[in-house]
């Protein structure tokens, strides 16, 4: 699994085997089956400016102050780079649960039931993309249709394709780009 900082705000789901044999994967397993994976392809992450680094730092510090634990090591990097951070024990009271971090931070939210996982996933004012992993096709349709997101990835982190409409719901935007739907706002009926 590839985790892209600009797309993932939190990760909930079952641990899955690596699709590429021989690759090193760092995986954390919580008792309820939650996982976070970071591969060598997605770090370190260059951020656009100092304000982006400050926001990432503020979100991580807020989470740590509210009881989260850092599961990844810190590293010294140049000023424009952010170290990927995996946080365990994330809760809905933390800033990163309701604000977009736009950085390589993966908070782990525990859940025990599918309903609770859906409540956590939809409990945000944002809805650009959501991702989940399952081998149960009934769950795939049930959960995928219930997610409040413009794009839903099932067993993949790649949900954007030129042939498919791209866009979010809620505070993540109106309208669509790409595909046939993307041209509609430029047309007069």
């Amino acid at each position: 699994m590839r985790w892209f900082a600009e797309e993932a705000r939190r990760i909930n789901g079952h641990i899955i085997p690596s699709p590429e044999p021989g690759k090193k994967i760092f995986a954390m397993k919580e008792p309820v089956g939650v996982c976070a994976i970071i591969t060598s392809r997605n770090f370190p992450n260059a951020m656009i400016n100092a304000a982006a680094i400050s926001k990432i730092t503020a979100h991580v510090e807020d989470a740590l102050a509210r009881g989260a634990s850092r599961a990844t090591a810190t590293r010294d990097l140049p000023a424009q780079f952010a170290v990927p951070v995996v946080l365990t024990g994330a809760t809905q009271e933390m800033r990163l649960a309701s604000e977009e971090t736009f950085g390589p931070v993966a908070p782990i939210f525990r859940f025990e039931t599918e309903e609770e996982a859906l409540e956590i996933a939809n409990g945000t004012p944002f809805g650009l993309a959501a991702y989940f992993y399952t081998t149960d096709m009934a769950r795939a349709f049930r959960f995928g249709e219930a997610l409040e997101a413009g794009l839903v990835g099932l067993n993949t982190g790649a949900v954007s394709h030129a042939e498919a409409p791209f866009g979010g719901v809620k505070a993540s935007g109106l309208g669509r780009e790409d595909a046939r739907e993307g041209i509609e706002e430029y047309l007069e009926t």
Side-chain angles (χ1 to χ4, degrees):
M1 176 178 122
R2 288 176 297 212
W3 171 57
F4 296 98
E6 70 277 3
E7 295 176 349
R9 196 163 57 87
R10 50 183 141 177
I11 298 173
N12 301 316
H14 298 284
I15 292 176
I16 59 171
S18 171
E20 300 177 33
K23 296 287 182 177
K24 290 184 179 180
I25 294 177
F26 170 71
M28 291 183 45
K29 182 178 179 183
E30 296 293 334
V32 292
V34 181
C35 78
I37 300 171
I38 297 178
T39 69
S40 59
R41 287 184 225 112
N42 60 353
F43 62 86
N45 288 274
M47 298 293 110
I48 192 150
N49 57 29
I53 298 288
S54 295
K55 186 172 186 182
I56 292 165
T57 302
H59 280 194
V60 170
E61 288 175 354
D62 174 72
L64 294 172
R66 294 176 187 261
S69 297
R70 187 181 183 124
T72 50
T74 60
R75 295 177 22 203
D76 289 327
L77 294 175
Q80 290 287 120
F81 289 85
V83 176
V85 178
V86 176
L87 297 168
T88 60
T91 64
Q92 296 301 309
E93 293 75 34
M94 296 172 184
R95 286 180 58 191
L96 48 69
S98 60
E99 298 177 18
E100 291 184 302
T101 305
F102 287 111
V105 180
I108 308 298
F109 293 80
R110 286 179 171 245
F111 64 90
E112 295 187 24
T113 65
E114 186 175 303
E115 293 76 20
E116 187 181 357
L118 191 60
E119 185 178 329
I120 292 169
N122 289 338
T124 172
F126 306 104
L128 179 57
Y131 310 84
F132 70 102
Y133 293 77
T134 184
T135 56
D136 181 337
M137 288 312 294
R139 175 182 288 152
F141 281 101
R142 188 172 59 249
F143 207 78
E145 290 174 359
L147 282 168
E148 296 170 1
L151 304 161
V152 176
L154 169 62
N155 298 336
T156 183
V159 295
S160 182
H161 304 281
E163 305 82 22
F166 175 90
V169 298
K170 300 195 268 189
S172 292
L174 297 171
R176 295 291 177 261
E177 300 172 10
D178 299 330
R180 195 172 60 224
E181 294 81 356
I183 196 77
E184 288 178 3
E185 67 181 85
Y186 298 99
L187 302 177
E188 290 186 35
T189 302

